[in-house]
PDB file of all heavy atoms in Angstrom:
ATOM      1  N   TRP A 105     -22.239   8.399   5.229  1.00  0.00           N
ATOM      2  CA  TRP A 105     -21.926   7.469   6.343  1.00  0.00           C
ATOM      3  C   TRP A 105     -22.563   7.908   7.659  1.00  0.00           C
ATOM      4  O   TRP A 105     -23.300   7.135   8.262  1.00  0.00           O
ATOM      5  CB  TRP A 105     -20.424   7.269   6.541  1.00  0.00           C
ATOM      6  CG  TRP A 105     -20.132   6.450   7.766  1.00  0.00           C
ATOM      7  CD1 TRP A 105     -20.451   5.125   7.963  1.00  0.00           C
ATOM      8  CD2 TRP A 105     -19.503   6.893   8.975  1.00  0.00           C
ATOM      9  NE1 TRP A 105     -20.055   4.726   9.226  1.00  0.00           N
ATOM     10  CE2 TRP A 105     -19.470   5.799   9.867  1.00  0.00           C
ATOM     11  CE3 TRP A 105     -18.932   8.110   9.395  1.00  0.00           C
ATOM     12  CZ2 TRP A 105     -18.915   5.890  11.150  1.00  0.00           C
ATOM     13  CZ3 TRP A 105     -18.393   8.210  10.668  1.00  0.00           C
ATOM     14  CH2 TRP A 105     -18.381   7.090  11.530  1.00  0.00           C
ATOM     15  N   TRP A 106     -22.316   9.150   8.123  1.00  0.00           N
ATOM     16  CA  TRP A 106     -22.848   9.578   9.416  1.00  0.00           C
ATOM     17  C   TRP A 106     -24.377   9.584   9.317  1.00  0.00           C
ATOM     18  O   TRP A 106     -24.923  10.160   8.373  1.00  0.00           O
ATOM     19  CB  TRP A 106     -22.338  10.991   9.734  1.00  0.00           C
ATOM     20  CG  TRP A 106     -22.478  11.410  11.167  1.00  0.00           C
ATOM     21  CD1 TRP A 106     -23.637  11.661  11.842  1.00  0.00           C
ATOM     22  CD2 TRP A 106     -21.406  11.652  12.096  1.00  0.00           C
ATOM     23  NE1 TRP A 106     -23.347  12.043  13.123  1.00  0.00           N
ATOM     24  CE2 TRP A 106     -21.995  12.050  13.323  1.00  0.00           C
ATOM     25  CE3 TRP A 106     -20.011  11.579  12.021  1.00  0.00           C
ATOM     26  CZ2 TRP A 106     -21.242  12.366  14.448  1.00  0.00           C
ATOM     27  CZ3 TRP A 106     -19.257  11.903  13.156  1.00  0.00           C
ATOM     28  CH2 TRP A 106     -19.869  12.278  14.344  1.00  0.00           C
ATOM     29  N   PRO A 107     -25.054   8.912  10.257  1.00  0.00           N
ATOM     30  CA  PRO A 107     -26.520   8.880  10.154  1.00  0.00           C
ATOM     31  C   PRO A 107     -27.042  10.317  10.087  1.00  0.00           C
ATOM     32  O   PRO A 107     -26.855  11.101  11.020  1.00  0.00           O
ATOM     33  CB  PRO A 107     -26.953   8.210  11.455  1.00  0.00           C
ATOM     34  CG  PRO A 107     -25.784   7.389  11.863  1.00  0.00           C
ATOM     35  CD  PRO A 107     -24.574   8.154  11.413  1.00  0.00           C
ATOM     36  N   TRP A 126     -20.975   4.591  19.794  1.00  0.00           N
ATOM     37  CA  TRP A 126     -21.999   5.284  19.014  1.00  0.00           C
ATOM     38  C   TRP A 126     -23.414   4.911  19.457  1.00  0.00           C
ATOM     39  O   TRP A 126     -24.292   5.761  19.497  1.00  0.00           O
ATOM     40  CB  TRP A 126     -21.831   5.010  17.528  1.00  0.00           C
ATOM     41  CG  TRP A 126     -22.840   5.757  16.724  1.00  0.00           C
ATOM     42  CD1 TRP A 126     -23.888   5.243  16.028  1.00  0.00           C
ATOM     43  CD2 TRP A 126     -22.924   7.190  16.588  1.00  0.00           C
ATOM     44  NE1 TRP A 126     -24.608   6.260  15.443  1.00  0.00           N
ATOM     45  CE2 TRP A 126     -24.057   7.454  15.781  1.00  0.00           C
ATOM     46  CE3 TRP A 126     -22.178   8.263  17.058  1.00  0.00           C
ATOM     47  CZ2 TRP A 126     -24.440   8.753  15.436  1.00  0.00           C
ATOM     48  CZ3 TRP A 126     -22.561   9.546  16.724  1.00  0.00           C
ATOM     49  CH2 TRP A 126     -23.671   9.781  15.914  1.00  0.00           C
ATOM     50  N   VAL A 282     -13.758   3.402   9.980  1.00  0.00           N
ATOM     51  CA  VAL A 282     -14.433   3.067  11.241  1.00  0.00           C
ATOM     52  C   VAL A 282     -15.137   1.713  11.127  1.00  0.00           C
ATOM     53  O   VAL A 282     -14.947   0.818  11.961  1.00  0.00           O
ATOM     54  CB  VAL A 282     -15.450   4.156  11.646  1.00  0.00           C
ATOM     55  CG1 VAL A 282     -16.269   3.717  12.853  1.00  0.00           C
ATOM     56  CG2 VAL A 282     -14.742   5.474  11.934  1.00  0.00           C
ATOM     57  N   LYS A 286     -14.256  -1.790  13.161  1.00  0.00           N
ATOM     58  CA  LYS A 286     -15.252  -2.376  14.072  1.00  0.00           C
ATOM     59  C   LYS A 286     -15.500  -3.830  13.711  1.00  0.00           C
ATOM     60  O   LYS A 286     -15.801  -4.659  14.555  1.00  0.00           O
ATOM     61  CB  LYS A 286     -16.555  -1.566  14.025  1.00  0.00           C
ATOM     62  CG  LYS A 286     -16.429  -0.255  14.794  1.00  0.00           C
ATOM     63  CD  LYS A 286     -17.533   0.713  14.467  1.00  0.00           C
ATOM     64  CE  LYS A 286     -18.816   0.379  15.151  1.00  0.00           C
ATOM     65  NZ  LYS A 286     -19.830   1.449  14.976  1.00  0.00           N
TER      66      LYS A 286
HETATM   67  C1  39A B 496     -21.529   8.609  13.275  1.00  0.00           C
HETATM   68  N1  39A B 496     -20.517   7.858  14.034  1.00  0.00           N
HETATM   69  C2  39A B 496     -19.549   8.419  14.736  1.00  0.00           C
HETATM   70  N2  39A B 496     -18.801   7.498  15.315  1.00  0.00           N
HETATM   71  C3  39A B 496     -19.315   6.315  14.967  1.00  0.00           C
HETATM   72  C4  39A B 496     -18.967   5.000  15.270  1.00  0.00           C
HETATM   73  N3  39A B 496     -17.907   4.731  16.072  1.00  0.00           N
HETATM   74  N4  39A B 496     -19.695   4.008  14.752  1.00  0.00           N
HETATM   75  C5  39A B 496     -20.735   4.266  13.966  1.00  0.00           C
HETATM   76  N5  39A B 496     -21.111   5.509  13.649  1.00  0.00           N
HETATM   77  C6  39A B 496     -22.254   5.696  12.769  1.00  0.00           C
HETATM   78  C7  39A B 496     -20.423   6.540  14.138  1.00  0.00           C
END
Side-chain angles (χ1 to χ4, degrees):
W105 174 66
W106 196 292
W126 182 249
V282 173
K286 284 165 78 172

